[in-house]
Amino acid sequence: MNYLTQIPKLCKGLAVVLIVGHIFVLYFPAAISYIALIPAKTIPFAWNLITSPYFEQSTEGVVISLIGLLVTGKLLDPIWGSRELLKFIFVVNVLTSLCVFVTAICLYYITSQELYLYMPVSGFHGAISGLIVGIKQILPDKELPLLKIKAKWSPSLAILAYVIVSLFRTTEVAAYVPTFVFGAYTGWIYLRYWQKKPDSNIRGDQSDDFAFSTFFPSFLRGAIDPIASVFERAFCKRSETSDD
């Protein structure tokens, strides 16, 4: 009970939203056609880019999302504040949905498989992935309980675990992998370039310890850094001559 009292109100509220959303889907499964991300229906049902993250279709999905939200939210809320945490979750969820939508359309044109257009994708996995990246940023050297590894490796290990599990589970589970990957990437983009620091005009975190290559083992970073710098200039309009 003491642990529950320490959980921020925002996280408790989002937990209620996820639970109610899951119960709603269980009793009204036909509603998935309107609230989940179904690329073939996103136009004109564009609202599913916003609603899909908050409706878990499986019980295991809602349990994982609740645990992830309460654990990461408890650590991040005191540092970021509830308003910034809510903004982060909303932005990451919308950008993740948009990335999944574009990916599904591209895969359809490449493979001609209608599965990519009509599989309903929903769930809080993208936000959880982004929140884990937040833990990597603020507590990189914190040792995770039970696993005995530093928090800076948690996003990479979580993505790897999702990929491995998807190889042995159903197609629906495999559909979560892009959501989790895009959640981590958009979460990193937000924290790296967009998040405004309190009481200053500084945005983002340009430290070397939070570079994109730090998500990969050290022997791969030499190859990752040049690629990452290209995308950095293309999407974030940064240059070496910009003011510090």
Side-chain angles (χ1 to χ4, degrees):
M1 291 298 294
N2 185 44
Y3 179 82
L4 292 177
T5 59
Q6 297 175 356
I7 295 174
K9 292 181 179 180
L10 172 63
C11 296
K12 292 179 181 178
L14 287 173
V16 171
V17 170
L18 293 177
I19 293 172
V20 172
H22 178 58
I23 295 174
F24 179 79
V25 168
L26 289 179
Y27 282 93
F28 303 99
I32 284 294
S33 298
Y34 301 96
I35 57 179
L37 176 61
I38 302 177
K41 295 184 177 181
T42 299
I43 301 175
F45 298 164
W47 61 77
N48 62 31
L49 293 171
I50 298 175
T51 59
S52 60
Y54 306 98
F55 292 88
E56 291 284 357
Q57 298 182 53
S58 67
T59 301
E60 63 179 11
V62 74
V63 170
I64 293 173
S65 293
L66 288 173
I67 294 174
L69 170 64
L70 297 180
V71 172
T72 58
K74 181 176 179 292
L75 294 172
L76 293 173
D77 187 89
I79 299 173
W80 289 355
S82 295
R83 183 176 179 179
E84 176 62 23
L85 180 59
L86 180 61
K87 179 182 176 183
F88 176 81
I89 291 173
F90 178 79
V91 171
V92 169
N93 274 334
V94 172
L95 291 180
T96 298
S97 295
L98 185 60
C99 289
V100 171
F101 167 73
V102 172
T103 301
I105 297 298
C106 291
L107 288 174
Y108 168 72
Y109 280 108
I110 293 172
T111 66
S112 298
Q113 296 291 323
E114 292 189 353
L115 171 69
Y116 296 113
L117 293 182
Y118 292 97
M119 177 181 291
V121 178
S122 66
F124 205 65
H125 306 82
I128 295 301
S129 183
L131 291 170
I132 293 175
V133 174
I135 300 298
K136 168 186 170 67
Q137 180 196 36
I138 65 172
L139 300 169
D141 295 320
K142 180 179 177 60
E143 190 174 83
L144 300 177
L146 300 178
L147 298 179
K148 302 299 181 182
I149 58 173
K150 292 185 177 180
K152 63 182 179 181
W153 296 113
S154 55
S156 304
L157 293 176
I159 291 174
L160 179 61
Y162 257 76
V163 172
I164 292 175
V165 170
S166 70
L167 295 176
F168 302 96
R169 299 297 297 274
T170 62
T171 305
E172 287 76 8
V173 174
Y176 292 140
V177 175
T179 303
F180 205 80
V181 172
F182 284 127
Y185 186 66
T186 56
W188 176 79
I189 288 288
Y190 181 92
L191 297 174
R192 180 74 168 175
Y193 302 109
W194 300 340
Q195 187 181 54
K196 187 176 181 180
K197 302 300 181 183
D199 303 322
S200 72
N201 292 323
I202 299 175
R203 289 184 179 274
D205 179 356
Q206 298 301 315
S207 64
D208 293 337
D209 292 335
F210 197 55
F212 184 68
S213 59
T214 61
F215 287 82
F216 300 86
S218 56
F219 66 88
L220 292 175
R221 293 177 188 176
I224 296 296
D225 280 329
I227 300 174
S229 65
V230 172
F231 285 97
E232 183 172 311
R233 291 188 177 94
F235 293 110
C236 301
K237 302 185 184 301
R238 288 184 53 82
S239 67
E240 298 301 326
T241 58
S242 62
D243 51 82
D244 195 7

